[in-house]
Amino acid sequence: MISGASGVPAGVGAPDATSSAPLPALEWKFSQVFGERAIGEEVQEVDIISAIEFDKTGEHLATGDRGGRVVLFERTDGRDQRTRRELEKANTVVSRHPEYRYSTEFQSHEPEFDYLKSLEIEEKINKIRWCQTANAAQFLLSTNDKTIKLWKVTEKKVKQVKNLNVDPGARGNGSLLTNSMLLNPKGLAPRLSSNGGPVTRSSVISQDFVFPPGGIPSLHLPSVVWSNEMTLVARCRRVYANAHAYHINSISNNSDFETYISADDLRINLWNLEVSDQSFNIVDIKPTNMEDLTEVITSAEFHPTHCNVLAYSSSKGSIRLIDMRQSALCDRHSKVFEETDPSGSRSFFTEIIASISDIKFARGDRYILSRDYMSLKLWDVNMESAPVATFKVHEHLRPKLCDLYENDSIFDKFECCFSGDGMRVATGSYSNLFRVFGATSGSEEASTLEASKTPNRRVVTPPSKPGSRLANLARGRRDNRRGSESPGADLNGGVHDFTSKLLHLAWHPAANVIACAASNSLYMYYA
């Protein structure tokens, strides 16, 4: 079993600390899966999901993959499809969990090559963020390592070509004219090739075609009309490029709906959504001599309500809160949240596993959630000395740190998320598992689920081998607080699969629905 959570210390303000009793544990059930692979099917690298994001309403969901594509999903159960008479006849109101359907997809980024640095730039989508809706159009930001793009997704009516000179059903010597010469299956005009001709299965009318007796009495121009069919069209409105010398790891929208930040390893830039050729550097931790570099920026997030406040995390395990009103260059933080280890407990892996991979603000403004390699930590913005709660995720892997270092798994970047009400937190793990913890005072909730159609299944597998002596020496301090369980066991008490890692997940902003990515598949669960 993966290690559980340490409880919130008594007397410390945690979410819903005023409640008389902790919330009951949620019972999670499978809802949907998109892109499920068959047993033994090989997954293409470009199809692996690399980003997930709900919009603020929860009506839309976006995913990005390593092939530079963005796929959009829309909620289908938002409105009850029954008639008013049927609703009046119904004795009870049936509560439905959110369900989604595929909406559209588009190619956001293409692979590029930086000739000055002889560096290949991957098309992989690192982050997606939804922007403010305007005029029934959806806007979202997507970024790869170097370039950020603003996309506008809107519905448009489909055009149809009618009043053609040749009847689509006209026959020659027993051969029917190909419909694709006239209309494609969606009723659209045929696509044109580079030489102006239609791209069809047959580029010319069949040689067996015979004109009707007397020929065609008169020729007329076909007409293009609007049909009632609607389709989603994505257009790139802005390209924010050439502002980062290092790989972009975060983008975050401001609550003023006009600006956003982008962060790389050493700098954070502030952008205006309407200005693509200029940004302002607000954080710069690059030393004069790169040999003096001791830490890098790993994640950055705007405060959900205060447009002047943002936080960023570092590879040293600290979170800095800064106020942009203090100075143009925010090289001095307002607060720093960092948990110090007792002297003598450090090891070779201490700084590596302390690196924070993701941070999130709670909607209630008061709490910050951070994810390092071993655990989730919940911070109160009014208390900098220590987190108010620590949820152990990978404590059982401490004896295996040497092996994890050798296969680079120790550098995996797991994301974290709050529930819409801030009462629970979630993060991913290995073997396609994810964890859900109760964040309220006194909560014992610590669920472990698998990204599959049977999230709560138990499969008996052989026990894992004990860690090597070198790995045991590198364990460092063991946390003996509640939730520390026997090492070397996963959900099923078996061997871990470090190649199957659940790095990306998102929680619906208004319902207990979690979307998580397992390789190229998108799984959704509800409670």
Side-chain angles (χ1 to χ4, degrees):
M1 200 71 169
I2 292 179
S3 302
S6 65
V8 179
V12 177
D16 198 31
T18 59
S19 59
S20 57
L23 296 175
L26 295 177
E27 182 180 353
W28 292 94
K29 300 176 183 178
F30 170 78
S31 175
Q32 293 173 279
V33 59
F34 298 94
E36 184 181 23
R37 58 173 171 169
I39 298 176
E41 179 185 356
E42 184 178 354
V43 177
Q44 299 295 324
E45 181 79 11
V46 294
D47 295 330
I48 296 177
I49 297 174
S50 57
I52 303 178
E53 185 76 7
F54 281 103
D55 73 343
K56 289 187 176 181
T57 64
E59 297 295 317
H60 300 274
L61 173 67
T63 65
D65 61 28
R66 295 187 181 181
R69 292 164 297 192
V70 173
V71 182
L72 303 183
F73 301 87
E74 61 182 356
R75 186 171 174 177
T76 58
D77 66 314
R79 303 175 185 84
D80 201 318
Q81 302 298 322
R82 293 177 294 178
T83 63
R84 182 175 180 179
R85 181 172 296 180
E86 291 173 336
L87 290 171
E88 290 175 349
K89 289 182 179 180
N91 294 327
T92 58
V93 178
V94 180
S95 59
R96 294 174 56 86
H97 62 274
E99 293 181 351
Y100 293 81
R101 68 182 177 190
Y102 169 84
S103 178
T104 189
E105 67 179 270
F106 55 90
Q107 188 71 32
S108 174
H109 289 74
E110 300 281 357
E112 301 175 24
F113 191 82
D114 189 335
Y115 294 96
L116 294 178
K117 297 182 179 180
S118 296
L119 179 67
E120 186 178 354
I121 303 173
E122 294 182 343
E123 65 271 32
K124 172 191 169 187
I125 304 297
N126 291 339
K127 294 290 180 180
I128 296 175
R129 290 292 181 266
W130 291 90
C131 302
Q132 182 77 350
T133 302
N135 298 328
Q138 300 289 332
F139 291 86
L140 54 88
L141 290 167
S142 62
T143 182
N144 64 354
D145 287 339
K146 296 292 183 180
T147 305
I148 308 166
K149 294 184 180 181
L150 175 66
W151 292 90
K152 178 182 180 181
V153 182
T154 183
E155 283 189 336
K156 284 201 170 184
K157 287 187 176 181
V158 177
K159 291 181 180 179
Q160 287 184 332
V161 180
K162 291 189 175 182
N163 199 22
L164 298 170
N165 289 289
V166 181
D167 183 3
R171 290 180 181 271
N173 295 337
S175 63
L176 179 65
L177 284 176
T178 57
N179 287 336
S180 61
M181 272 297 300
L182 305 172
L183 296 174
N184 66 20
K186 290 186 177 181
L188 301 174
R191 295 185 294 113
L192 298 181
S193 65
S194 58
N195 59 6
V199 180
T200 62
R201 293 187 299 271
S202 174
S203 60
V204 295
I205 297 178
S206 172
Q207 295 180 356
D208 296 334
F209 174 75
V210 177
F211 281 91
I216 299 176
S218 63
L219 293 175
H220 49 264
L221 289 174
S223 58
V224 179
V225 298
W226 294 99
S227 70
N228 292 326
E229 183 182 354
M230 303 292 289
T231 183
L232 283 174
V233 177
R235 292 183 176 177
C236 184
R237 299 300 304 272
R238 300 280 190 279
V239 177
Y240 312 90
N242 305 319
H244 287 278
Y246 306 95
H247 290 177
I248 299 173
N249 55 49
S250 302
I251 53 175
S252 178
N253 291 319
N254 200 344
S255 57
D256 62 7
F257 306 121
E258 294 182 359
T259 57
Y260 74 93
I261 56 171
S262 59
D264 63 22
D265 294 337
L266 298 179
R267 296 185 178 97
I268 299 177
N269 293 335
L270 177 68
W271 299 83
N272 188 298
L273 286 168
E274 299 298 325
V275 181
S276 60
D277 58 353
Q278 185 181 37
S279 65
F280 298 94
N281 179 230
I282 57 175
V283 175
D284 189 346
I285 65 171
K286 182 180 179 180
T288 305
N289 185 358
M290 286 295 287
E291 293 182 357
D292 298 330
L293 181 67
T294 58
E295 63 178 335
V296 295
I297 298 170
T298 57
S299 181
E301 188 86 2
F302 255 124
H303 193 280
T305 56
H306 299 305
C307 62
N308 56 288
V309 177
L310 62 94
Y312 69 92
S313 60
S314 79
S315 57
K316 279 192 170 181
S318 63
I319 303 172
R320 291 176 173 84
L321 197 70
I322 60 177
D323 190 337
M324 294 191 296
R325 296 173 299 182
Q326 292 182 345
S327 63
L329 182 61
C330 303
D331 51 356
R332 294 183 180 179
H333 52 267
S334 300
K335 291 186 176 183
V336 58
F337 305 89
E338 188 172 15
E339 187 176 26
T340 56
D341 288 331
S343 58
S345 65
R346 297 182 63 85
S347 70
F348 173 77
F349 303 108
T350 299
E351 193 166 309
I352 299 176
I353 62 177
S355 176
I356 296 176
S357 58
D358 191 24
I359 59 171
K360 291 289 190 302
F361 274 101
R363 282 197 170 189
D365 303 349
R366 184 176 171 184
Y367 298 95
I368 300 175
L369 182 67
S370 67
R371 173 69 155 100
D372 56 42
Y373 187 76
M374 304 300 288
S375 62
L376 277 171
K377 293 178 181 177
L378 186 66
W379 301 84
D380 188 328
V381 296
N382 297 320
M383 190 174 75
E384 307 169 45
S385 57
V388 295
T390 299
F391 308 97
K392 302 170 189 175
V393 182
H394 285 163
E395 189 65 29
H396 59 287
L397 296 179
R398 195 172 288 275
K400 300 177 179 288
L401 291 180
C402 183
D403 299 329
L404 293 168
Y405 179 79
E406 290 178 355
N407 61 25
D408 287 340
S409 294
I410 199 170
F411 300 106
D412 288 333
K413 307 299 182 184
F414 292 92
E415 294 181 358
C416 59
C417 59
F418 272 107
S419 61
D421 56 11
M423 301 299 179
R424 294 175 177 86
V425 296
T427 190
S429 182
Y430 293 108
S431 302
N432 282 340
L433 303 179
F434 65 98
R435 306 295 314 273
V436 179
F437 300 99
T440 57
S441 179
S443 175
E444 299 285 340
E445 182 176 1
S447 304
T448 303
L449 303 106
E450 182 184 18
S452 68
K453 289 186 176 180
T454 54
N456 298 295
R457 70 174 178 171
R458 297 290 191 274
V459 180
V460 178
T461 54
S464 59
K465 296 180 181 179
S468 64
R469 181 175 181 273
L470 179 59
N472 292 330
L473 291 174
R475 279 184 292 178
R477 180 177 61 89
R478 177 178 295 277
D479 195 334
N480 293 318
R481 291 179 290 180
R482 182 183 61 81
S484 180
E485 301 176 9
S486 59
D490 64 4
L491 170 66
N492 309 311
V495 180
H496 299 277
D497 182 4
F498 295 115
T499 61
S500 300
K501 56 194 74 172
L502 200 152
L503 302 177
H504 313 285
L505 76 170
W507 200 307
H508 191 283
N512 286 322
V513 172
I514 291 179
C516 55
S519 186
N520 67 322
S521 302
L522 176 66
Y523 287 91
M524 305 193 72
Y525 302 91
Y526 72 97

